[in-house]
Amino acid sequence: MPGRSVWVLVLALALPSNGQQHLEEAKRIMTTTPVIDGHNDLPWQLLQRFNNQLMLPAANLTLLNSTHTNIPKLRQGHVGGQFWSVYVPCETQNKDAVKRTLEQMDVVQRMCDLYPDTFACVTDSNGVREAFQSGKVASLIGVEGGHSIDSSLGVLRTLYRLGARYMTLTHSCNTPWADNWLVDTEEEKPVHHGLSPFGKRVVEEMNRLGMIVDLAHVSVDTMKVVLNISKAPVIFSHSSAYSICPHRRNVPDDVLQLVASTDSLVMVNFYNAYVTCSSTATLSDVADHMDYVKKVAGAKAVGFGGDYDGVPGVPTGLEDVSKYPALVAELLARNWTEEEVKWALAENLLRVFSKVEEVKKSLQGTAALEMPIAFEELEGTCRTSYGYSKGAGTARAPSAALALPLALLLSVLR
């Protein structure tokens, strides 16, 4: 008869490990509540590799395997919703940023057209839930950088009508109306100390439209200004916790507290440089950021913002979009409840999205903002000045220094 130690070994081999149990539990949860990720740069990869020619055999999203993202990996990762970034580089600012952005939006739409069994292009929170029910990846468009609107409220409105549902106010460059994260380093100096008056109008118009404001990439002052003036909750679509990794792309504690008080959301980034402030990281390190955001801002302030296909280094254990269940398993191992996991996977983002839609509804009947940015605040030499006065500025009230002489002149002429 086998000894006691032999039976213990047999039982240990027969029973699933805690890790395997957590992974199976993660997959069970994600069957009904799949992950909505805040930021994926596959469209940029399609431009870089194929010049947006999706019909090329090498661009087949079922077979493409040199990217973090393809259709089989999305299925394995239980991805139910994705904000596809329509990123265009800062070097396009004051040049062809609007054209380039439209082309990247077109790529996302054509992904949905070419793979209708996988992708469903949606524009509201109900559309996301319907995509969940049909087993498709709800595909949403995120504009990554305010330079994509070329300082035009008309372009902002048009991008919204074409399907854009969030806009990151800056990328890693200032716009004429908002400061980016580099002003918090020695590389750049603050220009606006957050937002200019026109930048505040951009946020106001986004609230009116029902477009989510994204604060990834912006300066700390910009974060604070927006969190104090936005009528709707905001997101950080791909940022992590500054106290864990003191990189200026990450969110400091005082801002996390504002996130909590405004029911906003931090979707944790997987880029090694933002996770450990080094070239290497692990899945556990990402979970540390999620734990920290949960600790400071609450479980309803945490989400997933992998930044896949937009960064050169991702953590061991999170090599591509198929690995989300492994991260969820780690959260379960850290005693996150099933409810908390579901919040982070999808419900937190859907709550923010729904609230943005509610604010839009409350502002129905409010006129679109029309005052353009002052011409002298624009940059770049390839511009016309149609609509502006000969002085190249917007129509404005006379200065205080001129007000009294003008009043006296008018009294004489009466």
Side-chain angles (χ1 to χ4, degrees), residues 11-21 24:
L11 285 171
L13 292 172
L15 293 172
S17 66
N18 282 342
Q20 185 61 33
Q21 286 180 323
E24 291 173 1

Side-chain angles (χ1 to χ4, degrees), residues 118-171:
T118 299
F119 303 117
C121 280
V122 302
T123 55
D124 57 30
S125 58
N126 285 335
V128 175
R129 295 187 184 279
E130 289 169 6
F132 282 6
Q133 294 298 317
S134 64
K136 297 181 181 181
V137 180
S139 294
L140 302 114
I141 292 173
V143 175
E144 189 180 9
H147 59 284
S148 283
I149 66 169
D150 197 23
S151 300
S152 167
L153 295 172
V155 172
L156 174 69
R157 287 187 284 270
T158 300
L159 295 186
Y160 179 84
R161 291 186 183 106
L162 292 174
R165 285 301 177 268
Y166 79 58
M167 184 174 73
T168 321
L169 297 187
T170 72
H171 196 255

